Amino acid sequence: MAEYNLPLPAMGESIAEATIIRWLKKEGDFVKKEDLLVEIATDKVNSEISSPVNGILKKKLFAPNEVAKVGNFIAILETEEKFSLENIPIIEKSKKRFYSPLVRTIAKKEGISFYELETIEGTGEKERVTKKDILKYIRIKKNNIVISKYNKYNSIQSINKNQKDEEIIEMDRMRRITAEHMIRSKNISAHVTSFVEADVTNIVKWREKIKETFQKNTGEKLTLMSVFVECVVKAIKDLPMINISVNGTSIIKKRNIHIGLATALPNGNLIVPVIKNADSYNLIGLIKVINDLIKRAKSNQLKPEETQGGTYTISNIGSFGNLFGTPIIHQPQVAILAIGLIQKKLSIIETPKGDLIGIRHKIYLSHSYDHRVINGVLGGCFAKKVALYLEKFNCYTKI
């Protein structure tokens, strides 16, 4: 019998570690290839890891609530198959990265499988694995580093047990990560918020008129978020210096427009699925992708890469009755837009025959931006630009 060391696989850009949530198999259980072994959680989403081999789960190397680095071995499986570079020709198997003869020789000598090799972070050109990278991986592998972040018996032990008028609620993993992320953002970015009011009467009436027919014909719910995203994308195209990030004293201008949607989960936590290349969709396309992302976000079915790479974020605070707010920037972005509750208001309407008073549907837009790189002119003009696109929305749009 041979042993297969199961590493924590790479899960996308910027994800370096994951928390073990629960094991789906017990030690001694037989597992088939592709059987789910363990549930893990990153700072983005929860996901599951399956077994790449047939065998017996011999040993779990990480317990629930412990944190493993990408590439750390998390379990040992006993199998009759031999997994090494001897029987997996890398050049044929990998179309993503090239491995030099030296790296392949070291991997073969150390018994590193192709699957493991694919998880190693490469620092060479086009993310190639260098000699330095694989030797570093081998050192980590031999030490089998374990980082335990959370201890359920921590500060609660010091609480006075006689206090009957208080309830101690321990933050869950996602809430802790969100808290750290929010504090870090406030420490990094000089937050400023501009507020603009927009008349969305045409949009509201348009939706009310066609929503039932649209859902009957397409099976999709016609939400206004698709219109908001479309208008934000148009404003970004007009003012592309909103679509940036900062690295030290360098400004990184993004060519792609990836829109994040801050989404409240049923348990009260927050997640931000991302519409990749949002400018490539028409309105129907946006409706479909938004409905799909939000549905899967709320049922914990997002893939890690679907919460990464955003360049600008929208938060719909109106969905829980708020008029406006001061949203915190989602790092490493430099701006975020909060959309408030749509309200009917008495308004002055300008017409060729004079001013009239009528009932209009109004909404507040709250635009927070990083004053290190976005001044008040750009930050304020962007919010106004979004408002103008909302007010000019073509109510005859056919979808």
Side-chain angles (χ1 to χ4, degrees), residues 206-208 210-227 283-295 298 316 319 399:
W206 166 80
R207 177 179 178 273
E208 287 298 317
I210 71 167
K211 67 178 183 180
E212 291 183 3
T213 302
F214 179 81
Q215 186 163 2
K216 182 179 178 180
N217 292 340
T218 67
E220 298 286 348
K221 186 177 180 181
L222 179 55
T223 65
L224 295 184
M225 182 54 72
S226 57
V227 178
L283 196 57
I284 293 179
L286 284 174
I287 292 168
K288 290 181 177 179
V289 72
I290 290 169
N291 287 348
D292 174 62
L293 284 173
I294 292 178
K295 179 182 178 181
K298 292 187 175 182
N316 183 12
S319 63
I399 60 174

Side-chain angles (χ1 to χ4, degrees), residues 6-12 15-18 38 40 42 47-50 68-72 74 115-116 118-120:
L6 175 66
L8 181 68
M11 293 163 285
I15 297 180
E17 63 184 28
V38 60
I40 63 170
T42 69
S47 57
E48 294 165 329
I49 296 176
S50 59
K69 297 283 188 182
V70 169
N72 281 167
I74 59 174
Y115 183 77
E116 290 175 54
E118 287 283 87
T119 70
I120 299 176

